[in-house]
Amino acid sequence: NMFRFTINYDNKFGKHAINAVGAAEATEREEKWHWMSLAPVDNNYVSLLKDVGTKDGTGIDETFWETATVGFIGRVNYTYDDRYIVEASGRYDASNKFPKDKRWGFFPSVSAAWRISEESFFKNSKISNVMSNLKLRVSYGEMGDDSGANTYPQTQIAYNINKDQIGYFYNGKFMAGVSATSIPNPKLTWYTAKTYNLGLDFDLWSQKLTGTL
């Protein structure tokens, strides 16, 4: 299930132009599955299945998996005289894959651009006959990622019976032990990727040739 609400604002007055977007979204996903296997003892290929379930290749399992996210997004773009452009945006997201005090994360970004080709000194130069657009831009942004985590506390927590690997000896006999498949990390939170960008965009001969540096 997914819900999204968006509101937009766009206005121009004189040499000023403002565009703003606000949004809220929520997602929820559930998954259930059952698994069962049975391998006859006299099957020659049972040894290939010994790691599935029990030693004779039989097993049964059931899993319930649920994820949910909530996010608030905002972006404001300001342009003056088609020459100077500034934009700021941010996301405030929450995911149930993390502990309650680690679920929320804020991820901002900001950018600025200068359309040099709109300046009078550029328009009055000979290069404007060849280059119709020249824009210098710089940006910084952060992005959150929760894809590397399971739900918290992790629904995959279980115990494996290790008949041949973990255990102890009692009265001369080896007794099978158990081990946890995973342990929750109470400090687990969003993975944040940061990006930096500096570039120069240009158009030549009325956009017949475009490029970016």
Side-chain angles (χ1 to χ4, degrees):
N1 299 323
M2 182 175 182
F3 164 82
R4 184 179 179 89
F5 173 79
T6 305
I7 185 171
N8 296 279
Y9 173 80
D10 198 353
N11 191 17
K12 292 183 178 181
F13 46 98
K15 296 182 178 181
H16 308 275
I18 296 178
N19 177 268
V21 177
E25 61 183 21
T27 63
E28 184 179 15
R29 180 182 177 186
E30 294 182 359
E31 182 175 332
K32 300 178 182 179
W33 61 273
H34 304 271
W35 173 85
M36 180 183 296
S37 70
L38 176 63
V41 177
D42 58 353
N43 192 314
N44 295 329
Y45 299 98
V46 167
S47 60
L48 299 177
L49 304 173
K50 65 180 181 180
D51 293 329
V52 181
T54 61
K55 285 289 289 183
D56 60 358
T58 63
I60 185 171
D61 197 5
E62 181 182 60
T63 297
F64 173 76
W65 179 69
E66 181 182 31
T67 60
T69 61
V70 177
F72 301 93
I73 306 103
R75 178 181 61 81
V76 177
N77 179 285
Y78 170 75
T79 302
Y80 175 75
D81 199 24
D82 288 330
R83 289 183 293 169
Y84 312 114
I85 306 168
V86 178
E87 182 175 291
S89 63
R91 292 186 61 100
Y92 192 47
D93 292 321
S95 172
N96 73 331
K97 292 184 177 182
F98 308 118
K100 289 185 178 180
D101 60 338
K102 302 288 186 180
R103 289 183 175 177
W104 288 95
F106 179 66
F107 311 102
S109 64
V110 62
S111 64
W114 176 28
R115 293 195 65 192
I116 305 173
S117 55
E118 294 300 312
E119 298 289 350
S120 58
F121 68 83
F122 186 92
K123 292 181 177 181
N124 296 329
S125 65
K126 294 182 179 180
I127 193 173
S128 63
N129 297 326
V130 177
M131 184 174 293
S132 55
N133 178 58
L134 181 63
K135 181 172 70 174
L136 178 66
R137 53 181 171 76
V138 61
S139 65
Y140 167 79
E142 297 182 5
M143 180 179 296
D145 184 10
D146 66 345
S147 61
N150 290 320
T151 53
Y152 191 93
Q154 297 186 15
T155 57
Q156 299 296 324
I157 295 177
Y159 292 92
N160 288 332
I161 298 177
N162 303 283
K163 293 186 176 181
D164 301 323
Q165 299 177 4
I166 298 177
Y168 62 96
F169 284 94
Y170 180 74
N171 289 336
K173 293 184 178 181
F174 182 78
M175 310 299 292
V178 297
S179 62
T181 58
S182 59
I183 300 176
N185 180 2
K187 296 183 179 181
L188 190 65
T189 189
W190 291 89
Y191 170 78
T192 302
K194 299 180 179 180
T195 59
Y196 305 84
N197 185 272
L198 176 65
L200 189 68
D201 302 328
F202 59 89
D203 299 339
L204 303 176
W205 300 293
S206 300
Q207 297 184 343
K208 293 180 180 178
L209 177 64
T210 62
T212 298
L213 300 176

